[in-house]
Amino acid sequence: EIIDGRGLILCPSFVDVHVHLRDPGQTYKEDIESGSKCAVAGGFTTVVCMPNTQPAIDSPEVAQYVIQRAREVGLCEVLPAGALTKGRQGKELTDFFALKNAGCVALTDDGSPLMDSRLMEKALRLARQLGLFVMNHCEDDGLARGHINEGYVSSLLGIAHRSPSAEDVLVARDCILSYHTKGRIHIQHLSSKLSVEIIRFFKEKSAPISCEVNPYHLFFEEDELLKSGANAKVNPPLRREEDIQALLEGIKDRTIDCIATDHAPHAKKEKGLLESAMPGMIGLQTALPMALELVRRGIIDLKRMVELLSINPAKLLGVERGIKVGALANLVLFNPDQEWVLNEETNLSKSQNTPLWGKTLKGRVVMTIKDGKIVYKSGA
Ligand code: DOR
């Protein structure tokens, strides 16, 4: 087949190191099939799914279920991150060796408040021995009991807040533990100014740290909650302009390694009142238009965008990306100027929770190719 790519951009397909596919257990929100469809429509051919499923991905059996189910669906590679502790209860470490053998590429308790420093240190040492890395949603439970950022919106609405300190304290802890143990930590969805500065400091000391940012934290401030309500509720929460500026600096000076979507589907009924709503937003289909907005605003160039969405996350996982003669193609072809609306017709997720619902987005995937096969064609 001859593919006419005139006027389009071709690059290595994207890799998302942080998605929630809700399978097994909460498949009314998403499942491996619908999640894979969103991924390839967004230009991703490899995603790492978090273990906060039911049951948790804390055993070889559940890890194998995820991998096999994704193979049956046959669109996108889904690599599980195994739970660090049994049932994500923070009590007893899981059998890392068995999880690795079953195909887990990383370990995380995914923000479970129960993971204490002693266990984290032990986990980093063990992970290092096995050549795995640890991921963490850094927010200290004691400081993160509230619902939205500590700031003007929390005061205005009288809603309990979770302060940036909740994030900064755990980012600092995990950086220190990684520095001392030499175990690799990947810090998820940075959102606060100080956390970027802490990571910059420890990277300069050559600690084995990587980190990601969620596109929503780059474009939306806390006041988005006043417009989008619970669809703008996420953990860590949307913050302030000065945090956004620090994140953009971190992207420019390479403190931040990856863009990851933290695709977190929730049903409509779970997105009611701000206080009780589940946190999270869907993001696999909107990552490219949001990343392209960074390019349009002159913050990064296209090459850096591809590093953030493809090359760096691939390196972290040790999967191949890049264009090599003779290799099976993992590519995405996209039109940077095509406008489209995220709505019932275009959305492939089972959920609709995003402040971008109904909005016009610029930049659309035309085709995604995985291992030499077309796994997505726009409109098909
Ligand atoms: O808001 C969030 N929701 N942040 C996370 O990191 C987890 C996610 C979820 O699982 O819904």
Side-chain angles (χ1 to χ4, degrees):
E1 185 182 349
I2 293 174
I3 298 166
D4 186 353
R6 276 174 295 186
L8 308 178
I9 292 172
L10 179 72
C11 70
S13 56
F14 306 143
V15 175
D16 191 346
V17 292
H18 187 171
V19 302
H20 300 266
L21 298 187
R22 313 296 190 208
D23 192 350
Q26 292 181 309
T27 52
Y28 63 95
K29 297 179 197 244
E30 200 76 287
D31 60 26
I32 289 171
E33 183 174 0
S34 60
S36 297
K37 286 183 184 167
C38 298
V40 294
F44 295 89
T45 56
T46 299
V47 298
V48 177
C49 67
M50 296 302 112
N52 61 339
T53 46
Q54 291 170 4
I57 309 178
D58 65 354
S59 68
E61 292 73 28
V62 185
Q64 270 298 310
Y65 161 75
V66 169
I67 294 170
Q68 292 308 336
R69 181 71 195 115
R71 285 192 186 143
E72 271 164 38
V73 170
L75 293 173
C76 173
E77 181 175 40
V78 179
L79 301 172
L84 277 168
T85 67
K86 297 249 170 69
R88 298 174 53 248
Q89 291 303 307
K91 292 205 178 81
E92 198 189 329
L93 290 178
T94 46
D95 181 346
F96 291 4
F97 190 66
L99 287 172
K100 183 184 174 178
N101 280 345
C104 290
V105 289
L107 297 157
T108 178
D109 258 8
D110 198 41
S112 164
L114 304 162
M115 185 79 198
D116 73 16
S117 309
R118 185 191 57 88
L119 265 187
M120 189 55 143
E121 186 190 52
K122 196 169 168 195
L124 280 163
R125 284 192 209 284
L126 275 170
R128 180 184 173 210
Q129 281 166 18
L130 289 174
L132 288 166
F133 66 96
V134 173
M135 311 174 90
N136 203 9
H137 171 149
C138 292
E139 278 191 295
D140 178 83
D141 185 48
L143 297 169
R145 292 267 156 93
H147 310 289
I148 62 176
N149 187 44
E150 174 181 17
Y152 121 85
V153 182
S154 66
S155 316
L156 184 75
L157 303 179
I159 291 182
H161 60 249
R162 41 206 304 138
S163 71
S165 320
E167 177 171 342
D168 302 337
V169 163
L170 269 206
V171 168
R173 179 199 75 172
D174 286 356
C175 285
I176 291 167
L177 293 176
S178 164
Y179 173 76
H180 283 300
T181 60
K182 308 270 182 293
R184 175 161 288 281
I185 185 89
H186 175 80
I187 307 218
Q188 299 180 299
H189 43 43
L190 287 194
S191 72
S192 79
K193 179 171 189 271
L194 194 59
S195 67
V196 181
E197 290 168 6
I198 295 167
I199 290 178
R200 185 176 291 124
F201 175 85
F202 279 97
K203 278 190 158 189
E204 275 165 18
K205 291 186 159 302
S206 303
I209 297 168
S210 58
C211 63
E212 65 182 44
V213 67
N214 171 347
Y216 288 107
H217 286 123
L218 298 173
F219 289 102
F220 291 102
E221 285 179 55
E222 55 189 347
D223 62 358
E224 184 59 31
L225 287 157
L226 303 174
K227 297 176 216 153
S228 298
N231 274 344
K233 182 180 176 186
V234 62
N235 287 340
L238 298 177
R239 301 205 193 270
R240 297 192 228 180
E241 175 58 19
E242 62 176 46
D243 297 296
I244 294 180
Q245 287 312 321
L247 292 169
L248 295 175
E249 261 324 297
I251 283 196
K252 279 198 241 169
D253 77 0
R254 295 187 147 69
T255 301
I256 295 176
D257 304 281
C258 311
I259 289 178
T261 68
D262 185 14
H263 181 78
H266 292 293
K268 265 198 188 130
K269 62 175 188 301
E270 296 166 326
K271 281 291 192 181
L273 293 176
L274 268 183
E275 285 93 334
S276 53
M278 306 290 284
M281 302 160 176
I282 53 169
L284 280 164
Q285 287 182 257
T286 51
L288 173 66
M290 291 175 96
L292 282 168
E293 189 58 27
L294 297 174
V295 177
R296 284 190 286 267
R297 291 187 191 176
I299 293 160
I300 51 172
D301 60 13
L302 264 180
K303 187 165 173 267
R304 176 77 180 132
M305 185 193 89
V306 175
E307 266 173 30
L308 289 158
L309 279 169
S310 178
I311 307 297
N312 290 352
K315 263 192 211 149
L316 182 64
L317 300 177
V319 298
E320 289 240 0
R321 274 306 173 275
I323 300 183
K324 260 200 231 149
V325 177
L328 287 179
N330 283 296
L331 300 170
V332 54
L333 186 68
F334 64 89
N335 182 338
D337 300 316
Q338 193 182 335
E339 295 194 340
W340 60 286
V341 179
L342 182 69
N343 57 23
E344 304 269 1
E345 237 169 81
T346 53
N347 176 45
L348 297 171
S349 172
K350 289 187 183 182
S351 298
Q352 306 184 343
N353 52 307
T354 162
L356 292 175
W357 189 258
K359 299 269 168 10
T360 300
L361 304 165
K362 194 169 175 187
R364 186 156 199 194
V365 173
V366 172
M367 183 179 288
T368 306
I369 301 175
K370 177 177 181 294
D371 295 332
K373 293 198 189 100
I374 297 171
V375 284
Y376 175 78
K377 246 187 201 179
S378 80

